[in-house]
Amino acid sequence: MGKKVLSYRSENCTGCHLCELVCSSAKEGRFIPSHSRIRIVSNHLEGWSRPVVCLQCQDPMCMKICSVGAIYRTETSQGYPIVSVDQNKCIGCHQCVVACPFGAIEYVKEIKIIKCDLCNGSPLCVQFCFYDCLEFIELSDEEFQGRAKSIKAVTIKACREISKTEPYWRRVNISAEVSKINQKE
Amino acid sequence: MLYGYKGKLLHIDLGSETYKTINIPSRILKKYIGGRGLGAKFYWDLIPPEVDPLGERNVFMVLTGPVSGTMAPGAGKHLIITKSPASGGWLESYSSGRVASEIKFAGYDGLIITRKAKYPINLIINNDKVEFLDATQLWGKGAFEAETYFREHFNPECGTLTIGPAGENLIPFACVGSDYFRKAGRGGAGAVMGSKNLKSIIIKGSGGIECANIDGLKNLILKYRKSFKQRFTTPMTVSITNAAGMIPTRNFSKGQFNDAIGNIDREAVFNLKIADRACYACPSGCANMTQVREGIFKDLRLEGPEYETLAMLGANLEVNYLPAVMKANYLCDDLGMDTISAGGIIGFVMECYERGIISKEQTKGLELNFGNYMAVIKLLELIAHREGFGAFCAQGVREMAKSLGQNTEVFAIQSKGLEFPAYDPRAGWGSTITYSVTPRGACHRRAWPPAVEIFGGVYPFTTEGKAKIVKNLMNDRCILHILILCDMLGPRMRLGMDDCAEVLNFVVGSDYSGKMLNDTTEIVETLIRRINIREGFSIEDDVLPIRILEESLPDGPGAGKIIGEENFILMRAEYYECRGWDNKGVPTQELIQKYEYDTEPKICLD
């Protein structure tokens, strides 16, 4: 069985933010987009919006930097790779927030670190994306390795931005490029 | 306990730069529900009749509905309530973007802004904190520049309400913009903000909204998912109204503009489209991001143009060059003016110019012939800044006709001081009722009779049954405006009273039925009628221009058919009767007592 990954076509994103709303409703039981695991960045004047969500990297920067080992790689019950956070170990130091070149991990006061966990294998944001932007696609091993390589390349490029720009602007700068690697023709 | 609501209003006093929260009694929430309903209650309690719309005592309210900030389909709309500088009475104006949801996330059901700032200011609302920032630097700048400033310096993902130079210069059809291209356009809410020295309101909230049955709401959305796929976009209306002989052409002297087809219709707009855009929380985004490819307006990029703009700044002025309409649209958005009123006003002065009532000396050299789009673009800037001939046009059609005299009121196409939107009532007589009795003036969003007269098989050129049809259409819209759900998406999903009740119950956890919601719409419509009567309006104000009543259209299916004053009066009288008002359109004492307006708690700011 292949591995499934969350992918998006940013050119189809309309900026409706339904993914943020449904994500927060699933994780927090209410509509609170500030606690959403997926984020939309937009420029309404230029007319574009793009999703930002954890890529579940093979070699995650957030995991590497975590000094207490609270971030680890694991799999959903279907065997899809995810990067997960142990809230008991987390000391709330924000290092991972700074380290993620994609701005896909975030700190909120009430729960400490939040990030996408693929809703245990059936992401709700995909179900509630009515514009064919978010997709949950199955990759062959070969494709999966190719994706990991592309992510690595983008990560290296994006790392130069770390400490120079805030996570929000890193999201804006890198999300279009991330969209390209994720596309499966 | 009611879910969905925050139960609080944020009252901001610009005069003393202070703010506090006010609780809304749950009895009032239950009765008026939200949006237009609560707005009517607040207007009745807070804005006395002697208040000048542009004076310090007018109140500027930004309201949400119980479903705002949730995933309910089309919930991304907010509502501005104030006294209208265009009509001098009730004004409600809707727009979309992040404003409504951010207000809810910040912990309020609405903002109530009173008095006037001593110098230009911006309001920054960040959860429970309000900052009053000097706006001198931004005063005089376009709405886009002001909004960009806050997205760069405060928070890129915030709710914004901004005005452009038109609002600052108190133009009676200045609008309030949000998310750049979304406008609460009609009736001059922007001028009220300008009169309060308020350039922009920026809102960011990080809280959440609890719902009674969040899974029910999500399943409801999935149930409708097929209807989201067929995206309705307003430019397709151009060819429909043109075929129906309903598209205003040459200041409403014709009902067909055949040049529109292929030039300023859906195909033309889609040809320049570069992306789909959606309002906040909308599963069926209908906005088109377009970009001009060549010519003098090359690279101009905007969201739109929508039908009303294509018709009022296109067909009504006989402009058939889409990039010029887009440029005019962009200018109106940035200057902060309503495209519908702007189109109506320029159409009126063009007709005056061609008839020789206005001379080239008076226009200071502008050649205002129909079709001269460069003159239109020039005039828009002049109007917003009240410069040259623009200062004359800035009064609006009603006042211009008064000062010109010479029977110009015959073709001054307005009602209650608000210029007509782009559906000629002579090609579908139901619109005569909506345009005349709508509280804020000639309006196409309180009810849309073309829905039944073009698509529903109802014969357009008769008075028969129209009052009842229009009243029911108005109630169906009213409930969407109370909840507040999108009135474009709602009708397409065929959200009736029962469906609205279902959505509302999922959110607030109450036991509303469709019948109860219908009763609420009656209570609200009658209260708004009382408001306008208190403001001094009467049956004499529920009228239409002579051109619409006594002249016939030369073309289209309605050619040669005259509505006539008698027919109009008949339909209007039937409408009053359907509402349970007397033959002068005044709500009866029985009705007033039945709806318990005078025995319920009053909203008080102190």
Side-chain angles (χ1 to χ4, degrees), chain B residues 216-227:
Chain B
L217 191 61
K218 284 192 270 193
N219 289 334
L220 179 125
I221 296 166
L222 290 178
K223 193 175 92 185
Y224 283 105
R225 69 173 306 150
K226 272 205 185 112
S227 68

Side-chain angles (χ1 to χ4, degrees), chain B residues 181-256:
Chain B
F181 300 104
R182 312 273 154 73
K183 302 287 168 184
R186 309 234 63 203
V192 177
M193 261 179 89
S195 75
K196 298 194 169 302
N197 266 336
L198 184 54
K199 177 73 180 175
S200 38
I201 307 171
I202 312 296
I203 311 138
K204 186 68 194 171
S206 55
I209 297 166
E210 308 253 0
C211 285
N213 183 350
I214 214 161
D215 291 324
L217 191 61
K218 284 192 270 193
N219 289 334
L220 179 125
I221 296 166
L222 290 178
K223 193 175 92 185
Y224 283 105
R225 69 173 306 150
K226 272 205 185 112
S227 68
F228 302 148
K229 282 279 169 199
Q230 315 139 357
R231 293 214 214 122
F232 176 86
T233 58
T234 65
M236 68 189 266
T237 318
V238 171
S239 52
I240 297 166
T241 50
N242 190 55
M246 203 180 261
I247 192 165
T249 307
R250 290 184 79 89
N251 192 34
F252 288 80
S253 56
K254 289 162 66 191
Q256 284 186 321

Side-chain angles (χ1 to χ4, degrees), chain B residues 258-287:
Chain B
N258 290 324
D259 264 12
I261 305 308
N263 291 318
I264 54 166
D265 62 354
R266 181 189 177 275
E267 276 60 43
V269 172
F270 272 52
N271 197 20
L272 300 184
K273 177 170 169 170
I274 53 171
D276 281 316
R277 304 295 295 155
C279 297
Y280 194 83
C282 181
S284 187
C286 65

Side-chain angles (χ1 to χ4, degrees), chain B residues 112-140:
Chain B
I112 294 201
I113 297 169
T114 55
R115 302 220 282 169
K116 178 183 177 176
K118 292 178 194 80
Y119 52 91
I121 61 156
N122 301 303
L123 279 180
I124 314 275
I125 302 165
N126 192 352
N127 291 309
D128 53 355
K129 285 194 198 67
V130 181
E131 278 181 81
F132 301 80
L133 287 189
D134 190 330
T136 319
Q137 300 281 330
L138 291 174
W139 202 255

Side-chain angles (χ1 to χ4, degrees), chain B residues 17 25 72 129 219 287 319 333 467 478 528 542 570 582:
Chain B
E17 300 199 358
K129 285 194 198 67
N219 289 334
V319 172
D333 285 352
C478 185
I528 298 173
D542 290 350
L570 179 73
D582 72 9

Side-chain angles (χ1 to χ4, degrees), chain A residues 16-17 25 31 34 46 131 168, chain B residues 157 206 218 281-282 285 301:
Chain A
C16 76
H17 294 258
S25 80
F31 296 116
S34 62
E46 288 171 15
Y131 301 99
Y168 180 87
Chain B
E157 302 290 334
S206 55
K218 284 192 270 193
C282 181
R301 188 189 267 209

